PDB file of all heavy atoms in Angstrom:
ATOM      1  N   TRP A  33     -16.594  34.378  17.830  1.00 83.00           N
ATOM      2  CA  TRP A  33     -16.751  33.740  19.187  1.00 83.00           C
ATOM      3  C   TRP A  33     -15.869  32.592  19.251  1.00 83.00           C
ATOM      4  O   TRP A  33     -15.274  32.313  20.265  1.00 83.00           O
ATOM      5  CB  TRP A  33     -18.139  33.308  19.267  1.00 83.00           C
ATOM      6  CG  TRP A  33     -19.091  34.501  19.520  1.00 83.00           C
ATOM      7  CD1 TRP A  33     -18.776  35.824  20.004  1.00 83.00           C
ATOM      8  CD2 TRP A  33     -20.513  34.479  19.239  1.00 83.00           C
ATOM      9  NE1 TRP A  33     -19.906  36.605  20.020  1.00 83.00           N
ATOM     10  CE2 TRP A  33     -21.008  35.789  19.578  1.00 83.00           C
ATOM     11  CE3 TRP A  33     -21.338  33.549  18.892  1.00 83.00           C
ATOM     12  CZ2 TRP A  33     -22.234  36.165  19.354  1.00 83.00           C
ATOM     13  CZ3 TRP A  33     -22.741  33.971  18.638  1.00 83.00           C
ATOM     14  CH2 TRP A  33     -23.169  35.183  18.944  1.00 83.00           C
ATOM     15  N   ALA A  34     -15.696  31.766  18.172  1.00 81.00           N
ATOM     16  CA  ALA A  34     -14.775  30.606  18.271  1.00 81.00           C
ATOM     17  C   ALA A  34     -13.301  31.083  18.445  1.00 81.00           C
ATOM     18  O   ALA A  34     -12.438  30.347  19.132  1.00 81.00           O
ATOM     19  CB  ALA A  34     -14.933  29.880  16.889  1.00 81.00           C
ATOM     20  N   ALA A  35     -12.981  32.121  17.813  1.00 78.00           N
ATOM     21  CA  ALA A  35     -11.600  32.746  17.848  1.00 78.00           C
ATOM     22  C   ALA A  35     -11.292  33.161  19.345  1.00 78.00           C
ATOM     23  O   ALA A  35     -10.125  32.937  19.962  1.00 78.00           O
ATOM     24  CB  ALA A  35     -11.339  33.788  16.958  1.00 78.00           C
ATOM     25  N   GLN A  36     -12.265  33.643  19.965  1.00 78.00           N
ATOM     26  CA  GLN A  36     -12.246  34.192  21.370  1.00 78.00           C
ATOM     27  C   GLN A  36     -12.100  33.067  22.382  1.00 78.00           C
ATOM     28  O   GLN A  36     -11.429  33.089  23.398  1.00 78.00           O
ATOM     29  CB  GLN A  36     -13.374  35.075  21.793  1.00 78.00           C
ATOM     30  CG  GLN A  36     -13.204  36.444  21.118  1.00 78.00           C
ATOM     31  CD  GLN A  36     -14.581  37.308  21.485  1.00 78.00           C
ATOM     32  OE1 GLN A  36     -15.422  36.839  22.115  1.00 78.00           O
ATOM     33  NE2 GLN A  36     -14.547  38.485  20.998  1.00 78.00           N
ATOM     34  N   GLU A  37     -12.887  31.903  22.080  1.00 73.00           N
ATOM     35  CA  GLU A  37     -12.840  30.720  23.007  1.00 73.00           C
ATOM     36  C   GLU A  37     -11.673  29.906  22.803  1.00 73.00           C
ATOM     37  O   GLU A  37     -11.158  29.218  23.862  1.00 73.00           O
ATOM     38  CB  GLU A  37     -14.111  29.937  22.781  1.00 73.00           C
ATOM     39  CG  GLU A  37     -15.331  30.623  23.266  1.00 73.00           C
ATOM     40  CD  GLU A  37     -16.617  29.820  22.791  1.00 73.00           C
ATOM     41  OE1 GLU A  37     -16.508  28.695  22.445  1.00 73.00           O
ATOM     42  OE2 GLU A  37     -17.738  30.515  23.148  1.00 73.00           O
ATOM     43  N   ALA A  38     -11.005  29.827  21.739  1.00 64.00           N
ATOM     44  CA  ALA A  38      -9.867  28.906  21.456  1.00 64.00           C
ATOM     45  C   ALA A  38      -8.762  29.259  22.429  1.00 64.00           C
ATOM     46  O   ALA A  38      -8.280  28.276  22.944  1.00 64.00           O
ATOM     47  CB  ALA A  38      -9.478  29.053  19.885  1.00 64.00           C
ATOM     48  N   PRO A  39      -8.238  30.440  22.556  1.00 61.00           N
ATOM     49  CA  PRO A  39      -7.161  30.634  23.454  1.00 61.00           C
ATOM     50  C   PRO A  39      -7.448  30.225  24.984  1.00 61.00           C
ATOM     51  O   PRO A  39      -6.602  29.879  25.775  1.00 61.00           O
ATOM     52  CB  PRO A  39      -6.851  32.169  23.342  1.00 61.00           C
ATOM     53  CG  PRO A  39      -7.397  32.599  22.182  1.00 61.00           C
ATOM     54  CD  PRO A  39      -8.526  31.659  21.937  1.00 61.00           C
ATOM     55  N   GLN A  40      -8.744  30.292  25.344  1.00 59.00           N
ATOM     56  CA  GLN A  40      -9.124  30.001  26.810  1.00 59.00           C
ATOM     57  C   GLN A  40      -9.244  28.552  26.928  1.00 59.00           C
ATOM     58  O   GLN A  40      -9.252  28.156  28.114  1.00 59.00           O
ATOM     59  CB  GLN A  40     -10.425  30.614  27.044  1.00 59.00           C
ATOM     60  CG  GLN A  40     -10.308  32.175  26.887  1.00 59.00           C
ATOM     61  CD  GLN A  40     -11.765  32.838  27.196  1.00 59.00           C
ATOM     62  OE1 GLN A  40     -12.826  32.134  27.207  1.00 59.00           O
ATOM     63  NE2 GLN A  40     -11.805  34.112  27.180  1.00 59.00           N
ATOM     64  N   ALA A  41      -9.323  27.739  25.961  1.00 54.00           N
ATOM     65  CA  ALA A  41      -9.398  26.282  26.090  1.00 54.00           C
ATOM     66  C   ALA A  41      -8.104  25.774  26.716  1.00 54.00           C
ATOM     67  O   ALA A  41      -6.913  26.289  26.515  1.00 54.00           O
ATOM     68  CB  ALA A  41      -9.489  25.600  24.641  1.00 54.00           C
ATOM     69  N   ALA A  42      -8.240  24.935  27.618  1.00 61.00           N
ATOM     70  CA  ALA A  42      -6.959  24.420  28.466  1.00 61.00           C
ATOM     71  C   ALA A  42      -6.259  23.404  27.413  1.00 61.00           C
ATOM     72  O   ALA A  42      -6.760  22.626  26.602  1.00 61.00           O
ATOM     73  CB  ALA A  42      -7.547  23.524  29.610  1.00 61.00           C
ATOM     74  N   PRO A  43      -4.921  23.405  27.587  1.00 62.00           N
ATOM     75  CA  PRO A  43      -4.158  22.594  26.732  1.00 62.00           C
ATOM     76  C   PRO A  43      -4.423  21.153  27.102  1.00 62.00           C
ATOM     77  O   PRO A  43      -4.707  20.852  28.302  1.00 62.00           O
ATOM     78  CB  PRO A  43      -2.651  23.026  26.975  1.00 62.00           C
ATOM     79  CG  PRO A  43      -2.699  23.693  28.349  1.00 62.00           C
ATOM     80  CD  PRO A  43      -4.219  24.236  28.466  1.00 62.00           C
ATOM     81  N   ALA A  44      -4.136  20.287  26.212  1.00 66.00           N
ATOM     82  CA  ALA A  44      -4.329  18.879  26.405  1.00 66.00           C
ATOM     83  C   ALA A  44      -3.295  18.267  27.380  1.00 66.00           C
ATOM     84  O   ALA A  44      -2.074  18.811  27.284  1.00 66.00           O
ATOM     85  CB  ALA A  44      -4.168  18.040  25.167  1.00 66.00           C
ATOM     86  N   PRO A  45      -3.628  17.525  28.496  1.00 69.00           N
ATOM     87  CA  PRO A  45      -2.558  17.110  29.409  1.00 69.00           C
ATOM     88  C   PRO A  45      -1.571  16.244  28.684  1.00 69.00           C
ATOM     89  O   PRO A  45      -1.885  15.563  27.871  1.00 69.00           O
ATOM     90  CB  PRO A  45      -3.431  16.326  30.345  1.00 69.00           C
ATOM     91  CG  PRO A  45      -4.563  15.964  29.669  1.00 69.00           C
ATOM     92  CD  PRO A  45      -4.970  17.070  28.577  1.00 69.00           C
ATOM     93  N   THR A  46      -0.323  16.432  29.134  1.00 73.00           N
ATOM     94  CA  THR A  46       0.683  15.557  28.504  1.00 73.00           C
ATOM     95  C   THR A  46       1.082  14.549  29.724  1.00 73.00           C
ATOM     96  O   THR A  46       1.081  14.912  30.964  1.00 73.00           O
ATOM     97  CB  THR A  46       2.015  16.413  28.318  1.00 73.00           C
ATOM     98  OG1 THR A  46       2.331  17.198  29.622  1.00 73.00           O
ATOM     99  CG2 THR A  46       1.672  17.438  27.179  1.00 73.00           C
ATOM    100  N   TYR A  47       1.377  13.370  29.319  1.00 73.00           N
ATOM    101  CA  TYR A  47       1.616  12.341  30.349  1.00 73.00           C
ATOM    102  C   TYR A  47       3.087  11.964  30.116  1.00 73.00           C
ATOM    103  O   TYR A  47       3.700  11.989  29.066  1.00 73.00           O
ATOM    104  CB  TYR A  47       0.773  11.122  29.986  1.00 73.00           C
ATOM    105  CG  TYR A  47      -0.760  11.449  30.228  1.00 73.00           C
ATOM    106  CD1 TYR A  47      -1.483  11.660  29.039  1.00 73.00           C
ATOM    107  CD2 TYR A  47      -1.335  11.542  31.366  1.00 73.00           C
ATOM    108  CE1 TYR A  47      -2.857  11.974  29.227  1.00 73.00           C
ATOM    109  CE2 TYR A  47      -2.591  11.845  31.663  1.00 73.00           C
ATOM    110  CZ  TYR A  47      -3.407  12.024  30.532  1.00 73.00           C
ATOM    111  OH  TYR A  47      -4.679  12.362  30.660  1.00 73.00           O
ATOM    112  N   ALA A  48       3.705  11.581  31.229  1.00 74.00           N
ATOM    113  CA  ALA A  48       5.122  11.131  31.201  1.00 74.00           C
ATOM    114  C   ALA A  48       5.223   9.811  30.771  1.00 74.00           C
ATOM    115  O   ALA A  48       4.260   8.972  30.843  1.00 74.00           O
ATOM    116  CB  ALA A  48       5.732  11.149  32.631  1.00 74.00           C
TER     117      ALA A  48
END
Side-chain angles (χ1 to χ4, degrees):
W33 292 338
Q36 288 176 354
E37 291 176 4
Q40 296 173 356
T46 56
Y47 299 101

